[in-house]
Every structure is written in C-alpha cells, then in structure tokens.
Amino acid sequence: MEKWFFINWHAIFVPSISVFELIIRGSLVYLALFSVLRLLPSRQLGTLGITDLLVVVLFAEAAQNAMASNYTSITEGAILVGTVIFWSYLLNWLGYKLPQFQRFLNPPPLLLVKNGRMIEPHLQRELITEDELMSKLRQQGVEFLADVKFAYIEADGRISIIMSDSKTSSVPEQKVALKSDLD
C-alpha cells in the first residue's frame, strides 16, 4: 500500500544518461530519418496509406530506442523532443535563408505531362503508373490527357495541372478558394 503513494522525484526529473549523449542520439536519429524520408519518391508524401502509416509507427518505435535506449525521466524526454524541434527549425530556417539548401529540403516540381504526353522516365522515377496519374487527373476534373499542357508532381506529392486552354487547375483546395471568390 505504501508503494501506491511513493513518488521517486529523482527518477522523474534526473536523467539516467548524459544530456550530451541524449542530444547526440536525438540529432543522429533525426538526421538519418530525415535523409531516408527525403530519398523516398515524392508520390509517397502526397497521401498516407496503411503501409505509410505502418512505416511511420515502426520508424517511431525504432527511433525511440535508438535515441534514448531506456530513458525514464521526464527531463530525458524533454531533451529529446527539444532536440527534434531544434533540428526541424534549423533545417527550415536554413531552407529559408539559403535557396540552394531549400532545393535539398523540397525538390523542385517534376514535369509528368507535357502537351498531352506523359514523360515516362519521370513517372518511373516517382513510381507513378499511368493509371495512378490518370486517376489524379480525373480527381481534378481532367477527362482527357490531351487537354493537359503541363502536369507537375510537387514536393509534397500533389499533382498540379496547367490546362491547354490556359485554365489553371491545381490542388482541390485552390479550386474551392476560387469558387468562394466568385460568390
């Protein structure tokens, strides 16, 4: 009964491993996972399927063990969270200040369709089948590939479209915004 009310304040707040080691572990794991995710095709970023969710969960589990081994204190968790936030902010800040670095963080749009013709090497590079591309085009109201002047896959995995008759059809959110502007 006595253990129910006993609080080990030392274990809650005092790290069991070196703070510097926590920062190094957190930094290495964050940068490694960032690099791996950066190398995935952009198409993987635009949607979150069940396999993508599974990868995220497994990454989180593996990263937790790699970052902190068996940490138990709140302080260790806060240091790891702070380290991840630091690297996220630093990479975004560097991307803002250095255009060359921004190209590494967010690749430029990749042309998938030009003047109604699919660019096969680019589709293969992003692992997009013709059926998937046509599905994305139909979701944005495009019936015929010949009507598409340009279609790009953006850094976030969405596909933006420029129609041959100079009408721009981009992501669905932009279509909604344009409709509300007319009201």
Side-chain angles (χ1 to χ4, degrees):
M1 186 76 164
E2 189 176 299
K3 288 197 176 219
W4 286 9
F5 301 106
F6 175 74
I7 298 173
N8 185 347
W9 295 103
H10 186 269
I12 292 175
F13 292 108
V14 177
S16 59
I17 62 176
S18 161
V19 171
F20 190 62
E21 181 180 340
L22 280 171
I23 292 170
I24 289 174
R25 283 175 176 264
S27 297
L28 291 175
V29 171
Y30 179 86
L31 294 173
L33 289 177
F34 174 82
S35 299
V36 166
L37 292 173
R38 173 60 182 86
L39 295 175
L40 287 176
S42 297
R43 135 194 213 289
Q44 300 298 322
L45 302 176
T47 60
L48 184 65
I50 190 70
T51 56
D52 302 316
L53 183 61
L54 180 61
V55 167
V56 169
V57 169
L58 292 175
F59 269 4
E61 179 63 25
Q64 187 275 331
N65 291 331
M67 283 195 293
S69 64
N70 291 323
Y71 76 87
T72 56
S73 75
I74 293 172
T75 306
E76 290 166 320
I79 290 169
L80 287 172
V81 168
T83 301
V84 168
I85 290 170
F86 165 78
W87 280 109
S88 180
Y89 181 81
L90 179 66
L91 292 176
N92 286 328
W93 183 82
L94 286 172
Y96 177 74
K97 293 291 184 179
L98 305 171
Q100 307 88 335
F101 195 74
Q102 180 63 31
R103 281 186 229 120
F104 170 72
L105 291 176
N106 295 308
L110 181 65
L111 187 62
L112 299 178
V113 176
K114 181 176 182 180
N115 297 324
R117 299 182 65 125
M118 293 184 199
I119 301 175
E120 289 296 328
H122 293 181
L123 292 172
Q124 290 173 358
R125 177 174 140 192
E126 294 299 320
L127 303 175
I128 299 174
T129 65
E130 290 182 23
D131 289 340
E132 288 174 315
L133 177 62
M134 290 307 298
S135 171
K136 292 290 184 186
L137 295 177
R138 284 190 303 275
Q139 289 172 13
Q140 294 189 39
V142 176
E143 187 175 1
F144 301 107
L145 187 62
D147 295 338
V148 177
K149 185 174 181 179
F150 299 109
Y152 296 91
I153 187 164
E154 303 294 341
D156 65 359
R158 290 183 285 178
I159 295 180
S160 59
I161 302 166
I162 299 171
M163 301 298 290
S164 294
D165 61 355
S166 301
K167 292 181 184 174
T168 302
S169 172
S170 194
V171 294
E173 292 82 20
Q174 290 176 343
K175 286 183 185 178
V176 173
L178 290 175
K179 286 181 183 177
S180 66
D181 289 342
L182 297 174
D183 294 336

